[in-house]
Amino acid sequence: MLITHDTRRSLDAAVELVNTVPEDEGATDGMADLASLDAFVRRHRMSDVQSLSEFDLSAVRKVRGRFAQIFAAPDARAAAGLINELVAAAGTTPRLTDHDGHDWHVHYFAPGASVADHLAADCGMALAFFVVAGEQERLRRCEAPDCRRAFVDLSRNRSRRYCDSRTCGNRLHVAAYRARRKEAAG
């Protein structure tokens, strides 16, 4: 599956946004305030985003919830329905652009759109490409028992199971190794 630069950036933004949800009651919301939203917008170099308000923060949190539902969708039909609703509500206006030194690519958000509509349109379409390609199962949650972070499995054989092989994956592999050694030692 060919993933263009702008699609990859949108996927990264969608995944990071979903992963700002606190994993448990004691955890901090990664999108707790306007400063968090502003840092997110800057980190993802989102174009055409004007000043941010509490309304934007609330709207982005709602979009975040919709993205989380898409990652949890049991099948392509359910994911497609969620994506259709999300993208339609954003009032998409596909247009070609070549800003900031990037080659021609498509933006799906309308000029002057809110940051929430920007995310819903561009990231929603990036997620839609996976459903269209029959690759919805690549939109995953980490299989580590104590982690439910979202990620997009871009491995060749669709075998990625953990959000990060250096943390969750390695931790579980080490635990399994130690359990095998302990059992062998009797």
Side-chain angles (χ1 to χ4, degrees):
M1 176 175 182
L2 175 66
I3 300 174
T4 62
H5 169 76
D6 54 309
T7 299
R8 179 59 191 258
R9 286 181 58 185
S10 292
L11 288 171
D12 291 346
V15 166
E16 183 181 336
L17 185 60
V18 169
N19 289 336
T20 64
V21 174
E23 291 187 34
D24 56 48
E25 290 181 25
T28 303
D29 187 332
M31 196 56 67
D33 52 27
L34 282 175
S36 302
L37 177 57
D38 184 60
F40 177 86
V41 166
R42 290 178 192 275
R43 203 168 30 260
H44 290 281
R45 291 182 262 140
M46 294 176 62
S47 60
D48 199 27
V49 173
Q50 308 303 319
S51 62
L52 299 170
S53 67
E54 289 293 330
F55 177 80
D56 291 312
L57 180 61
S58 175
V60 167
R61 286 183 184 150
K62 287 177 185 168
V63 168
R64 173 180 72 177
R66 300 306 301 262
F67 286 158
Q69 291 175 332
I70 293 165
F71 274 86
D75 56 41
R77 183 164 303 284
L82 292 165
I83 292 168
N84 284 340
E85 290 172 14
L86 181 70
V87 171
T92 59
T93 306
R95 62 191 166 88
L96 290 168
T97 182
D98 66 343
H99 65 87
D100 298 329
H102 296 292
D103 287 334
W104 288 103
H105 58 281
V106 179
H107 280 188
Y108 295 93
F109 62 93
S114 70
V115 66
D117 285 346
H118 181 138
L119 287 164
D122 274 8
C123 298
M125 288 304 299
L127 296 170
F129 296 146
F130 279 81
V131 174
V132 168
E135 301 283 355
Q136 182 260 336
E137 74 275 1
R138 289 182 182 267
L139 308 177
R140 297 192 175 166
R141 292 290 190 152
C142 184
E143 290 183 18
D146 59 342
C147 179
R148 296 299 300 150
R149 292 178 61 83
F151 68 94
V152 178
D153 179 4
L154 298 176
S155 67
R156 181 174 281 170
N157 62 358
R158 298 176 190 87
S159 62
R160 187 170 162 197
R161 297 173 48 207
Y162 306 110
C163 62
D164 187 343
S165 61
R166 288 179 296 242
T167 55
C168 289
N170 192 40
R171 185 170 36 84
L172 289 173
H173 289 114
V174 168
Y177 171 76
R178 288 180 179 160
R180 286 190 306 272
R181 290 204 50 200
K182 183 177 181 181
E183 186 178 305

